Amino acid sequence: MVNQPQSRSFGTSEVPAARATIDRIELPEFVPPAQPAGGFSGERFLDRELSWLQFNARVLELAEDPDLFLLERVNFLSIFGSNLDEFFMVRVAGLKRRIAAGMAVPSAAGINPVDQLELLLSQAHELQKRHAQVFRQQVNPALEGQGIRIKKWDALNPEQKAGLRKWFVDQVFPILTPLAVDPAHPFPYISGLSLNLAVIVRNPVSGKELFARIKVPDVLPRLIAVDHPGSRNVPSRDVEFISLEDVIAVHLDNLFPGMEVVENYAFRVTRNEDLEVEEDDAENLLQALEKELLRRRFGPPVRLEVVDDMNPAVKALLVRELNVEEDEVFSLPAPLDLRGLSVIAGIDRPDLHYPKHVAHTSRALNESETSKAADVFAAMRRRDILLHHPYDSFSTSVQAFLEQAAADPQVVAIKQTLYRTSGDSPIVDALIDAAESGKQVLALVEIKARFDEQANIDWARKLEQAGVHVVYGIVGLKTHSKLSLVVRRESKGLRRYCHIGTGNYHPRTARYYEDLGLLTTDEQVGEDVSRLFNQLSGYAPKTTFKRLLVAPRSVRSGLIDCIEMEIAHKKAGREARVIIKVNSIVDEAIIDALYRASQAGVKVDVIVRGICAIRPGVPGLSENIRVRSFLGRFLEHSRVFAFRNGDDPLVYIGSADMMHRNLDRRVEALVRLSNKSDVTELLALLNRYLDAGTASWHLDSEGNWMRHHQDANGKPLLDIQTYLLESRARQTGAGRR
């Protein structure tokens, strides 16, 4: 192993040890320079929010792909809907709030906030119309061709109608609550993301028309199997569905006896659901967050979706009562909220899904020929283990590591970060088992993980009740790093066993998130991880690290120094190259460093799944920068930073994306790989991603993404995820199962 000194020379600059620290709440947020660095144009950045919408457009392209398995296309339609909901709840809501408060400033791309909001709403309108058209014109007819139909009430036969009537009376009617609007009943509160029916009823005596609202219950499936209402065991073939709102609509007379139901229309509201917790003023962060979660339910509306045949007078009433602007009203064909298609996406039709994937145990953990579970600790003592999920099984590696630690009598302490985890997490169970067996267990639970706040509060309390020491990290910073530390008593003393990853300790998402992880007993890494945990749980603002880069102090500066090192190598006549793989890249200082590298002749490749503010291919600025994006069966989630460094490549993996929140307002950790075979393997993987024969999206200098998935003869290019699945199956000798 090559140990990294505490202060490393990068040719043109030094990384002093003092920079590898976290000063608790005193850190200023990074502010990009007022003047463009290096003489670059002020328009050198693409707009972050528009780039996010383009990412979701790429998701929609997968739903439009007729060569993709049909139920996977349905799933991408559902994912698109969920993504856009979050965009409005957080990004659009945040922009509106800043504009209203007079705090909005032009974006890094130079767009005025009001103009930016107008652009976002305009593009969102186009995307939602396209989303609806893909379902109605392409996917729904294809489903019908496979015997999967979504029916309207009038198209059902008498027996089907009778069955649904009985089900409605028994299972739906008791849940419904009609809310009238009149002088004695004010307009009701409409919860965010709920589907509703706006109902107009007429009093047959007075002839007066009145408005009422009915919430479509979210405790029931959105799509109901016509011949099996209430059952979750849906037939896989020749199955018919009807939407829950349609069933409710035809039974409205049950809810308004003595009134005449005139008309009804579906609508849906999206609200601001971003959290604001003033941690400095909160004596108890847990209680403050719970109070803020309650407030989230009542955030102001940011979008109103209505069916396109809605009576204009009804729409005007909703617009007035909900206080939304006209450009925030989205008129769409029914059905609204295509997230509900997840019911259909889950139908058991292997011929309409990706082939089944069975993750294999990592070769480094499975060196014996026996079926006995691998001894993770013994394997780690032999060498560092680089894991690549979901191709390498999470359950037989990371999960097994923690479960074996909990059961091992020689283990004396376990320290663990938890950002997101599943509702039935064996990770949490292992920590509880360890604490109950007398081990010292520390869990750093990030209760501010967006949209998982309540679940994480529940886990924190469950862990505390079991005797686990639960802490919530550093005030003012989210803890996003993915770290496990196990301390084991051995013949030569205590030994540290560490896992550092790019993804959450979430066994369920580990099946479809692409992530990397390192299992190691390296002394320097163990020392660094121990120091970081001590900093997170106690008071250690001047901690230094040797093998880790830790945000908010040293990730940005350390990576920029690595980029400058490549520039120095290039100027000295040596080969130089930078490869970065992240979920998002918007940080101006990092991007400017990449621009400087490009100007010096360094070849720069950026692989980004989502948001990208880089303008590649601009003469004199970024002609040596290429940007690629990969979307598919698995969500590309790993973060990798690779530098040629002459003939001694430097490769880091870790939790940080290149965004302000990651680099300035979160605790993130990157670890440098020291095993040369791991470095070689990871560089080969990155080069396979970037190969001209691999399918991907290419970004041009104007911010447009173009999909490249066929060669000049129309032959499909290599799908990187399929290639890796098949490659791993061949390596394990298991073949496709």
Side-chain angles (χ1 to χ4, degrees), residues 153-275:
W153 181 264
D154 292 341
L156 303 181
N157 62 45
E159 292 78 14
Q160 290 173 323
K161 290 180 179 179
L164 284 170
R165 283 195 186 99
K166 183 178 186 307
W167 175 75
F168 173 83
V169 171
D170 292 342
Q171 302 295 328
V172 183
F173 178 78
I175 303 175
L176 300 178
T177 303
L179 295 174
V181 176
D182 59 28
H185 300 88
F187 190 85
Y189 171 76
I190 310 297
S191 55
L193 300 188
S194 64
L195 189 64
N196 306 271
L197 290 179
V199 185
I200 303 299
V201 296
R202 180 183 297 122
N203 187 318
V205 177
S206 66
K208 185 176 182 179
E209 292 187 350
L210 301 167
F211 175 89
R213 171 258 187 167
I214 295 176
K215 179 178 178 179
V216 177
D218 51 17
V219 296
L220 296 172
R222 171 70 187 290
L223 293 175
I224 310 301
V226 171
D227 296 319
H228 306 270
S231 173
R232 296 188 181 274
N233 296 319
V234 178
S236 59
R237 297 180 184 276
D238 297 321
V239 58
E240 295 179 338
F241 292 92
I242 187 170
S243 70
L244 180 56
E245 62 266 30
D246 280 356
V247 175
I248 295 171
V250 297
H251 293 93
L252 288 173
D253 54 338
N254 295 32
L255 294 160
F256 302 97
M259 301 291 282
E260 177 187 349
V261 178
V262 179
E263 54 192 353
N264 69 88
Y265 306 99
F267 72 96
R268 183 171 181 258
V269 176
T270 309
R271 294 183 177 275
N272 176 352
E273 296 204 21
D274 204 11
L275 288 172

Side-chain angles (χ1 to χ4, degrees), residues 289-475:
L289 191 60
E290 287 180 311
K291 185 182 296 184
E292 183 65 11
L293 285 171
L294 184 64
R295 185 207 63 78
R296 170 191 272 178
R297 295 173 48 201
F298 300 95
V302 293
R303 178 180 58 167
L304 170 64
E305 296 167 276
V306 301
V307 289
D308 54 9
D309 61 349
M310 178 176 279
N311 184 323
V314 176
K315 183 167 74 171
L317 182 149
L318 292 173
V319 168
R320 180 179 70 252
E321 294 293 340
L322 291 167
N323 193 27
V324 295
E325 303 293 334
E326 283 295 332
D327 59 359
E328 295 171 336
V329 180
F330 290 69
S331 296
L332 301 163
L336 300 181
D337 188 11
L338 294 182
R339 295 179 307 164
L341 292 174
S342 59
V343 173
I344 291 177
I347 292 177
D348 185 17
R349 284 285 299 272
D351 57 319
L352 302 182
H353 283 290
Y354 289 120
K356 187 176 180 180
H357 160 55
V358 177
H360 303 292
T361 300
S362 166
R363 287 170 294 164
L365 291 170
N366 194 24
E367 294 185 352
S368 69
E369 297 295 327
T370 69
S371 59
K372 183 180 178 182
D375 183 337
V376 179
F377 293 105
M380 292 173 67
R381 287 192 293 270
R382 288 193 293 269
R383 55 156 289 177
D384 285 358
I385 299 169
L386 181 65
L387 299 168
H388 193 192
H389 309 298
Y391 313 105
D392 291 324
S393 168
F394 181 87
S395 63
T396 62
S397 57
V398 179
Q399 183 179 320
F401 169 58
L402 290 165
E403 289 174 337
Q404 290 177 22
D408 188 342
Q410 300 305 313
V411 169
V412 296
I414 301 174
K415 299 185 180 185
Q416 175 75 45
T417 61
L418 290 174
Y419 189 76
R420 301 186 198 276
T421 191
S422 60
D424 54 351
S425 173
I427 303 295
V428 172
D429 291 342
L431 297 177
I432 290 172
D433 290 344
E436 291 178 343
S437 67
K439 294 176 172 60
Q440 183 87 0
V441 182
L442 172 76
L444 194 146
V445 180
E446 181 45 77
I447 56 174
K448 302 185 297 297
R450 182 176 287 155
F451 302 125
D452 272 354
E453 296 93 348
Q454 188 59 58
N456 285 5
I457 288 172
D458 294 341
W459 285 124
R461 290 193 165 132
K462 182 179 178 181
L463 288 164
E464 284 179 323
Q465 290 168 3
V468 175
H469 297 293
V470 177
V471 296
Y472 307 119
I474 297 176
V475 173

Side-chain angles (χ1 to χ4, degrees), residues 5-119:
Q6 192 160 309
S7 177
R8 183 177 69 239
S9 171
F10 279 164
T12 59
S13 63
E14 296 277 314
V15 182
R19 289 167 69 171
T21 67
I22 298 178
D23 292 340
R24 295 179 66 84
I25 197 171
E26 302 159 5
L27 284 168
E29 181 174 339
F30 170 74
V31 178
Q35 297 298 323
F40 300 154
S41 163
E43 298 178 352
R44 65 195 187 279
F45 303 119
L46 299 174
D47 184 74
R48 170 204 166 120
E49 314 301 354
L50 294 174
S51 180
W52 193 99
L53 286 176
Q54 290 171 329
F55 155 65
N56 220 27
R58 299 199 292 281
V59 174
L60 193 54
E61 281 190 67
L62 293 175
E64 293 170 328
D65 188 348
D67 296 326
L68 201 61
F69 293 97
L70 179 57
L71 293 184
E72 303 300 341
R73 296 174 66 189
V74 174
N75 189 44
F76 283 119
L77 285 174
S78 178
I79 291 171
F80 174 95
S82 296
N83 286 351
L84 207 60
D85 286 348
E86 182 173 339
F87 180 71
F88 272 91
M89 289 188 293
V90 178
R91 304 307 308 174
V92 173
L95 181 58
K96 283 191 65 179
R97 186 172 63 241
R98 292 193 299 274
I99 291 173
M103 297 173 60
V105 297
S107 70
I111 304 177
N112 175 281
V114 174
D115 293 339
Q116 185 184 37
L117 181 60
E118 183 179 329
L119 280 170

